[in-house]
Amino acid sequence: FEKARVVFEPTPRRSLMAKACTHNYMVLNVADNVNASLHFYKYVGEGKFEYQEPPAGQQAIPIGCDVQVRAVYPKTLDDIFLIKDGYLEPDKLEIASAKDCATTTETLYSKPHLFDSTNLMVEQHQATSKDGTKVPYFMIRHKEMEFNGSNPTLVDGYGGFEIPLLPGYAAGVGAVWLQRGGVKVVANIRGGGEFGPEWHQSALRENRCKAYEDFEAVGRDLIERGVTRPECMACIGGSNGGLLVGNMLTREGAALWGSIVCQVPLLDMKRFHKLLAGASWMAEYGNPDVPEDWKFLKNYSPYQRIHDVCLQPGSTWKAPETLFTTSTRDDRVHPGHARKMVKRLQDDVPPEKANTVLYWENTEGGHGGAADNGQRAFMWALVYRFLWATIGEKAKPDCKLLSKL
């Protein structure tokens, strides 16, 4: 390795997502603060690569867009395929050349636009978490949105298993939420893979609450910036993201969130390892049968927190309006998590502290919650009807944009 040379070195906010090699070039797909960028290196012999400065006027990949790169035929060609999509752009296949750093592209195929994004825009901001960590988030909104704290805002997150939340096209979000004046936020919290293994490992086991502090920081930043206010802000998450929003329910509750959508969730951290695939997640969360692990696990187990924290004397906690969805045939996260959580909220919590707890269980569909497009459409129609009936109604009196659209 004496002749080895560093071509790319990651930083805390910059990571290598993929690479492609053509006949004479190496193309690196780099995530820089969760924004995609392509970097071109020309092979000059003797194992050496030289960085190619992009030509003047080359357009960078827009914020809120993602790209994948593939070599067309590396044995003889320097052509590359670019697969692009984003929050406002459907999947598109382009062909370009590494010789000019993909300055000129030709579209080979593009999926149709399924909602009008003309008056929509994507921004990226960052919030400061409890320990000072900067947490990036994307915000997709209408260009005419007023910063008066009255916009219905849906915050999405995951924060686990080194899975990054990258930009992607979601027609349903655009058609039934964004076009009607809603704001969508995607929080890139710790536990995910946006910045590589360290970002993930910083929220494992006893540090899991770092992910939840990050998510709360994003919510507070949206309030401070005048985007929304607690009664007009909802959060949504599924699977490990269901555990995330389950903690939002039992931590700040209605003090920060107007409503919550909790999908195929993990909620009882005392028994998660005994149900279906749960035992395989102990490296992520811990082993509740080990007393030292249970000491920290119980702090982010929503099912236990209802009794241990939320209903303790002197607590001012109230539950936001909440919708739980799951599937009888979920083979990954047992539907018992959602069932028992709903029962506890309905039976053990006084009505004045949890006045709206809704539950929908599909009998098919596995961990995705739906077995076909018809069931999937019904499930998401239910979710967005719930959101418009909760935070949407609370935003209506002050949000002029809602009356225009």
Side-chain angles (χ1 to χ4, degrees), residues 322-378:
T322 306
L323 170 66
F324 292 87
T325 71
T326 187
S327 167
T328 307
R329 296 192 180 184
D330 190 335
D331 57 359
R332 204 174 308 172
V333 179
H334 199 286
H337 284 276
R339 292 170 183 166
K340 65 198 300 185
M341 186 70 169
V342 169
K343 181 170 176 58
R344 178 158 286 187
L345 286 166
Q346 292 182 339
D347 291 356
D348 298 358
V349 179
E352 64 271 17
K353 284 184 171 287
N355 61 8
T356 304
V357 180
L358 304 178
Y359 179 76
W360 180 72
E361 179 175 323
N362 188 20
T363 56
E364 299 180 299
H367 194 50
D372 54 40
N373 285 339
Q375 293 180 8
R376 193 170 295 110
F378 179 86

Side-chain angles (χ1 to χ4, degrees), residues 9-317:
E9 186 171 2
T11 68
R13 295 277 159 158
R14 200 164 177 257
S15 58
L16 179 64
M17 304 302 288
K19 68 175 178 65
C21 294
T22 70
H23 188 58
N24 296 296
Y25 292 83
M26 179 169 61
V27 186
L28 304 185
N29 186 354
V30 175
D32 193 346
N33 200 34
V34 207
N35 289 298
S37 59
L38 297 179
H39 300 259
F40 296 82
Y41 295 81
K42 185 176 182 180
Y43 181 65
V44 293
E46 299 180 356
K48 297 180 181 179
F49 286 87
E50 287 185 354
Y51 176 69
Q52 303 297 293
E53 289 286 348
Q58 183 191 36
Q59 292 186 346
I61 297 168
I63 289 175
C65 288
D66 193 27
V67 65
Q68 299 175 50
V69 60
R70 301 283 188 273
V72 174
Y73 190 68
K75 286 188 176 181
T76 59
L77 299 177
D78 289 318
D79 292 341
I80 53 176
F81 289 123
L82 301 177
I83 304 101
K84 297 178 179 178
D85 76 333
Y87 294 120
L88 303 179
E89 291 291 334
D91 294 9
K92 179 167 60 175
L93 175 64
E94 298 177 339
I95 191 169
S97 174
K99 293 179 181 179
D100 66 354
C101 299
T103 299
T104 304
T105 63
E106 177 187 351
T107 299
L108 302 179
Y109 175 78
S110 179
K111 289 184 179 179
H113 287 260
L114 297 177
F115 64 91
D116 184 3
S117 61
T118 307
N119 294 313
L120 301 175
M121 62 182 294
V122 183
E123 300 173 316
Q124 189 183 37
H125 302 277
Q126 63 179 10
T128 303
S129 195
K130 186 177 180 179
D131 63 1
T133 300
K134 301 298 182 184
V135 182
Y137 64 89
F138 290 102
M139 182 170 74
I140 309 101
R141 65 174 179 89
H142 200 280
K143 293 176 182 177
E144 296 181 13
M145 185 193 84
E146 295 182 1
F147 288 83
N148 61 359
S150 65
N151 299 286
T153 302
L154 178 61
V155 187
D156 198 349
Y158 188 77
F161 297 92
E162 206 173 335
I163 296 173
L165 292 189
L166 302 176
Y169 195 69
V173 177
V176 302
W177 190 250
L178 297 172
Q179 279 192 161
R180 295 179 62 188
V183 179
K184 179 67 185 289
V185 171
V186 179
N188 301 115
I189 61 177
R190 279 175 284 186
E194 286 85 350
F195 300 126
E198 186 177 346
W199 192 249
H200 168 232
Q201 293 162 10
S202 63
L204 289 178
R205 292 169 51 85
E206 64 270 21
N207 292 319
R208 199 64 178 187
C209 289
K210 299 291 185 184
Y212 309 145
E213 291 167 0
D214 290 356
F215 199 73
E216 289 165 344
V218 170
R220 292 192 183 96
D221 193 66
L222 291 165
I223 294 168
E224 290 171 5
R225 293 179 48 245
V227 175
T228 190
R229 59 183 186 268
E231 58 266 35
C232 299
M233 182 167 63
C235 60
I236 186 170
S239 192
N240 173 74
L243 175 61
L244 164 67
V245 300
N247 272 275
M248 296 303 103
L249 169 65
T250 58
R251 285 166 61 97
E252 297 284 342
L256 187 59
W257 308 100
S259 63
I260 289 176
V261 178
C262 189
Q263 300 178 298
V264 290
L266 190 65
L267 295 167
D268 181 2
M269 301 307 287
K270 184 66 174 175
R271 290 183 50 78
F272 81 93
H273 62 314
K274 299 182 184 296
L275 300 170
L276 299 178
S280 64
W281 309 327
M282 287 192 288
E284 186 84 7
Y285 303 120
N287 182 353
D289 289 339
V290 176
E292 291 77 12
D293 285 10
W294 179 242
K295 284 181 182 178
F296 60 76
L297 271 164
K298 66 181 181 181
N299 293 326
Y300 60 85
S301 182
Y303 183 67
Q304 278 74 30
R305 285 182 60 86
I306 294 293
H307 282 170
D308 297 349
V309 180
C310 300
L311 296 181
Q312 288 299 299
S315 171
T316 59
W317 171 85

